[in-house]
Amino acid sequence: MKLEREEVERIAKLARIRLTQEEIEPLREDLAEILTFVERLQEEDVEGVPPTAQVTGLTNIARHDVSETCEDREAILNQAPRRDTDTIEVRAVK
C-alpha cells in the first residue's frame, strides 16, 4: 500500500510522536509494509472460523474476588499511610 510522507507525519502527530526528517522515510516504508500485510489478511476467507482470543490454551488463573467483612475498624485505619481521626486521608485529585 502506498503511504505518503504527509500521512506518516499526521499519524505521528496523532500519536504524539516527534519524528525527525530522517526518521520519516524508514517509518513510511515500514508502515506501508504493515498495511500491505493487513490488506492481504483481509482477503483471506475466514468463513466458519470462530473468533479466537489466544491460541495457546491458557486460561485465566487469577483468583476470584472475595469480599470479606472486617469488624475491626481501627485495624483498617492503622494500615492507611495517613489518617485523620477515623478517616483515611488521600491526596486531592486534580
Side-chain angles (χ1 to χ4, degrees):
M1 171 178 219
K2 183 104 169 98
L3 196 63
E4 300 297 328
R5 184 179 187 89
E6 293 77 25
E7 291 173 301
V8 174
E9 291 171 344
R10 182 173 179 274
I11 292 167
K13 183 178 179 181
L14 290 171
R16 298 177 188 233
I17 299 171
R18 276 192 212 129
L19 296 175
T20 65
Q21 293 302 313
E22 297 78 30
E23 293 172 317
I24 293 174
E25 184 58 27
L27 185 59
R28 186 192 65 75
E29 293 170 3
D30 290 345
L31 286 173
E33 190 175 322
I34 291 168
L35 291 172
T36 300
F37 181 73
V38 170
E39 282 179 340
R40 284 196 354 234
L41 286 176
Q42 290 176 338
E43 294 171 2
E44 291 299 317
D45 179 21
V46 293
E47 187 69 32
V49 177
T52 305
Q54 55 88 17
V55 295
T56 64
L58 294 177
T59 57
N60 187 357
I61 58 171
R63 67 175 174 81
H64 293 286
D65 287 336
V66 178
S67 64
E68 297 178 10
T69 57
C70 181
E71 303 298 324
D72 192 354
R73 181 179 180 90
E74 195 61 32
I76 295 171
L77 291 171
N78 285 337
Q79 295 178 41
R82 293 183 305 168
R83 66 181 275 194
D84 178 22
T85 315
D86 64 343
T87 58
I88 298 172
E89 284 187 12
V90 296
R91 285 190 240 156
V93 177
K94 298 181 181 182

